[in-house]
Amino acid sequence: MSASPGAPGTVPPSPVQVVAAVIRDARGRILLTRRTQGRDLAGLWEFPGGKIEPGESPESALVRELQEELGIRAEVGAQVACVECDNGGKRVRLDVREVRFEGKPRGAEGQALAWVPLHKLPEYPMPPVDRPVVQQLLAQAEE
């Protein structure tokens, strides 16, 4: 008989490793992308990025993901936040970095894009893992 998830003596599954970007335009607005239909948490807004593949560094994963998703060349900067939580039924560890970019972001996978002023980020429905990042960005802006 196998133990049920969460039973004493079982090891919880490792979190999915994800990296995301805080991308700002010349006016200081932050880029959000909308999750497309057919994906977990479809319709919610998030910081662009994606899963880190085995053997890939967070920086190289973010450069790859932003090229694939948005068609931009990214220069990855400092870590903004690192959050781990349940995100729609999956345990996720999200590493968020500041990113400078070249090119014009476009939804290469059909996703909508929005340039959002920092103070308006809380108005956008987001996955649970992105919400603490918004709070951290708002707190940093007050410092």
Side-chain angles (χ1 to χ4, degrees), residues 121-122 130-141:
L121 287 177
D130 287 285
R131 291 185 202 128
V133 178
V134 170
Q135 294 309 311
Q136 197 152 348
L137 288 168
L138 291 168
Q140 288 171 357

Side-chain angles (χ1 to χ4, degrees), residues 72-123:
I72 60 174
R73 290 177 302 286
E75 180 184 320
V76 180
Q79 186 178 64
V80 173
C82 190
V83 178
E84 187 172 321
C85 75
D86 181 71
N87 195 53
K90 290 185 205 163
R91 193 91 190 137
V92 172
R93 181 177 186 273
L94 178 65
D95 180 355
V96 183
R97 307 291 181 100
E98 286 280 353
V99 168
R100 291 185 180 189
F101 70 98
E102 291 179 13
K104 183 174 180 182
R106 58 181 168 67
E109 298 172 348
Q111 72 276 36
L113 307 180
W115 289 103
V116 182
L118 178 62
H119 70 279
K120 291 198 173 195
L121 287 177
E123 298 174 18

